[in-house]
Amino acid sequence: MDSLLQAVGDFIARNHMWAGVLLGLITFFESLAVVGAFVPATGLLVAAGGLIAAGVLDPVNVIVGCVVGAVIGDAVSYWAGRRLGVRFLQRPMFKPHRRRIAWTRLYCRRYGVMSIFVGRFFGPLRAFVPLTLGMLRMRQRAFQFGNVTSGIVWVVAMLAPGYLAAKGLARMELLSEAHGPTLLIGAIALAILIVAVAYRLLKTRMSRKSAVMRGALESR
């Protein structure tokens, strides 16, 4: 998988005019139910952000392509869920995953449109939330609002780390002659601190939500 991602990244860097189309296809497939679990687009979007900062890729081309792909992918999963219905999940092949399916259904019922936003950033849910919301018959207008707005937020958020990192490195190079070692140590320390704090906050928040969901399921 790493070699495939590297090959795709190299192709995008050499054929920047096709970057929006190719990245849009990748975000489309990552947003599809089941299929999306095997298409990691996050690494490519981070790399694309760095290429945007370097002036290699056009930001409008990349952002529009990725947003369109993500929105269409979730829309297809939503309509598939509406067509298949909840009974589809009662088939024998889903029996080992009934508890997880019940957790996802309860999560979607409780948070509604907000579940689309959280699902965008939480890998295990990203490819299944739209399908579940379709099965639960969420109103199309509400779903599409959450789909489009969350798609824009997600794409920008995925491009931002690579963009900011590349910009930061470019600025650090200008100061490296006089303050190179000091800046490097400070940057590493700051990055470690940010990652540690973000990880702890996310872990605490998700553990609380999981406890609530488990309690709700056990009480049934």
Side-chain angles (χ1 to χ4, degrees):
M1 183 61 68
D2 291 339
S3 59
L4 177 60
L5 292 177
Q6 182 64 39
V8 174
D10 293 340
F11 178 84
I12 292 174
R14 293 193 304 268
N15 303 273
H16 55 89
M17 294 299 297
W18 291 94
V21 175
L22 184 56
L23 290 172
L25 287 174
I26 292 172
T27 56
F28 166 76
F29 283 112
E30 190 187 37
S31 300
L32 291 178
V34 182
V35 178
F38 304 97
V39 185
T42 303
L44 286 174
L45 292 181
V46 173
L51 294 175
I52 290 174
V56 177
L57 300 181
D58 177 28
V60 176
N61 182 25
V62 172
I63 292 174
V64 171
C66 291
V67 170
V68 170
V71 169
I72 294 177
D74 269 21
V76 170
S77 296
Y78 168 79
W79 282 108
R82 288 184 67 93
R83 184 173 183 83
L84 294 174
V86 178
R87 291 184 178 180
F88 180 76
L89 298 176
Q90 298 175 356
R91 295 189 176 185
M93 62 179 177
F94 292 107
K95 187 176 181 179
H97 308 287
R98 282 182 179 176
R99 192 172 184 83
R100 182 178 299 178
I101 291 171
W103 188 93
T104 304
R105 289 176 61 185
L106 181 61
Y107 166 81
C108 291
R109 284 184 184 275
R110 178 165 183 170
Y111 293 102
V113 175
M114 285 304 300
S115 64
I116 306 174
F117 283 84
V118 178
R120 289 281 191 191
F121 293 90
F122 189 48
L125 294 177
R126 185 180 305 147
F128 296 99
V129 167
L131 180 72
T132 303
L133 291 175
M135 291 179 174
L136 295 177
R137 299 284 177 173
M138 172 180 272
R139 290 187 299 113
Q140 180 182 353
R141 181 177 299 179
F143 174 81
Q144 295 301 346
F145 171 78
N147 183 21
V148 174
T149 53
S150 67
I152 296 173
V153 172
W154 178 69
V155 169
V156 174
M158 292 299 100
L159 293 172
Y163 179 87
L164 295 176
K167 285 294 186 181
L169 289 174
R171 292 178 181 178
M172 287 178 65
E173 288 179 358
L174 298 177
L175 302 174
S176 61
E177 293 183 1
H179 307 285
T182 303
L183 289 173
L184 180 60
I185 294 173
I188 294 175
L190 180 60
I192 294 174
L193 178 62
I194 293 174
V195 171
V197 172
Y199 175 77
R200 180 172 292 275
L201 291 175
L202 181 60
K203 184 177 180 180
T204 302
R205 187 174 183 84
M206 293 307 300
S207 63
R208 289 177 180 175
K209 288 185 178 181
S210 297
V212 173
M213 294 299 181
R214 286 195 299 269
L217 287 173
E218 292 173 358
S219 64
R220 288 191 168 188

